[in-house]
Amino acid sequence: MSVELLIGWTTCDNEDIAERMAQELVERDLVACVQLDPIRSIFKWKGEMDSHQELRLTLKFAPGKLKSIEAFLNANHPYENPEWVVVQAESASQKYLNWVQS
């Protein structure tokens, strides 16, 4: 059974920008919460191997906010092609869902 909670991920290699985006997303009531986790990404970009220390931003939000969050990221993300992956939660506590919805 799915619930009305989406979880999205993006990454950023600049701590100040990641924190600013997280703060703005919460202040604008687009998300209930953003978690910042340090990670190391290894990938190919434009045919070249690359590796970066990044911050993964985990966003928790109601489905009705999806398009607004995408627009925010398109306007504010520093990457040319930012990661934006979203999944729907299968289960969550009702108390947590109530908080996300509010």
Side-chain angles (χ1 to χ4, degrees):
M1 177 179 98
S2 63
V3 295
E4 294 293 309
L5 172 65
L6 297 181
I7 303 165
W9 294 276
T10 191
T11 55
C12 184
D13 65 1
N14 181 301
E15 186 174 354
D16 291 336
I17 292 172
E19 287 187 15
R20 179 186 52 79
M21 287 194 307
Q23 184 123 10
E24 285 187 41
L25 286 161
V26 174
E27 285 175 350
R28 294 179 185 198
D29 291 322
L30 295 175
V31 301
C33 170
V34 179
Q35 296 169 316
L36 301 172
D37 299 301
I39 62 169
R40 180 151 195 90
S41 295
I42 300 170
F43 54 93
K44 277 190 176 180
W45 179 245
K46 297 185 178 179
E48 299 289 325
M49 286 296 295
D50 210 340
S51 176
H52 284 287
Q53 290 293 118
E54 294 184 297
L55 291 165
R56 176 177 40 226
L57 289 75
T58 302
L59 291 67
K60 295 156 186 182
F61 56 95
K65 304 288 185 167
L66 179 60
K67 295 295 181 196
S68 295
I69 294 168
E70 287 177 354
F72 174 88
L73 291 174
N74 286 334
N76 294 282
H77 203 291
Y79 289 1
E80 181 181 330
N81 184 23
E83 172 188 16
W84 180 234
V85 177
V86 178
V87 297
Q88 185 166 10
E90 289 187 24
S91 179
S93 73
Q94 191 59 54
K95 279 184 162 181
Y96 189 79
L97 287 174
N98 292 344
W99 176 71
V100 169
Q101 296 295 330
S102 68

